[in-house]
Amino acid sequence: MKLLTGQRGAGLIEVMVTVLILSTSLLGLAALQNRALQYNHSAYMRSQANVLAYDLFDRIRANRTQRAAYDLAVDAKAPTTSGNLVNRDLAQWRGLLAERLPAGTGGITCDAVGVCTVTIQWGEQDAAGANGDGEVSRFQYMTRI
């Protein structure tokens, strides 16, 4: 009968080290994927804010003679949909902000020479993925009407 000589149990240690390295790598990849999804969602929110800013600018261009009446502070209460076209435009725009952006609100200021600035803010996702509970993002866009 021939006796085996050499190390015994080395294969088990190698397998344990391999499993440790593999599990650490997979956790790192999962964290990387999570961050990529957060950044993608943030970019989507910015795109929505951009579209909504253009929407308000188009509404003002369609009603250019009432440009000064469109001034609305970010923290001001939205006007009701009854009344004139300016109030309806602002109320509908604020409704779109609340619908498409988490905790979304916005305002606009126009100066005497026709330069208008739209400010839109919304709540970003927090680390757990809850909408509106993270930090507040702010988007500003200026154009001449």
Side-chain angles (χ1 to χ4, degrees):
M1 179 170 196
K2 186 175 181 182
L3 293 175
L4 295 175
T5 58
Q7 296 181 354
R8 297 185 62 145
L12 184 58
I13 293 174
E14 290 171 355
V15 169
M16 288 175 52
V17 169
T18 303
V19 167
L20 178 68
I21 292 171
L22 183 64
S23 62
T24 304
S25 301
L26 289 176
L27 284 174
L29 285 173
L32 183 66
Q33 180 69 20
N34 187 29
R35 277 308 226 187
L37 287 172
Q38 285 178 346
Y39 291 142
N40 190 24
H41 189 279
S42 179
Y44 173 74
M45 290 292 121
R46 286 199 173 278
S47 295
Q48 289 296 313
N50 193 21
V51 167
L52 291 168
Y54 272 108
D55 176 53
L56 185 59
F57 287 142
D58 288 340
R59 290 171 190 253
I60 295 171
R61 284 186 185 102
N63 193 13
R64 194 177 304 247
T65 59
Q66 298 292 317
R67 181 185 66 223
Y70 279 90
D71 281 353
L72 179 67
V74 174
D75 55 353
K77 184 179 179 208
T80 61
T81 56
S82 62
N84 60 12
L85 179 61
V86 173
N87 287 344
R88 283 195 305 268
D89 282 347
L90 290 173
Q92 289 172 356
W93 182 68
R94 278 280 186 89
L96 288 171
L97 287 174
E99 178 184 316
R100 295 188 184 171
L101 299 171
T105 188
I108 183 167
T109 59
C110 293
D111 63 13
V113 294
V115 176
C116 295
T117 304
V118 167
T119 303
I120 299 174
Q121 64 186 29
W122 67 93
E124 284 287 344
Q125 285 184 338
D126 61 5
N131 277 335
D133 294 336
E135 63 185 55
V136 174
S137 289
R138 190 177 189 97
F139 178 85
Q140 282 191 327
Y141 196 83
M142 292 175 74
T143 192
R144 183 178 301 271
I145 301 290

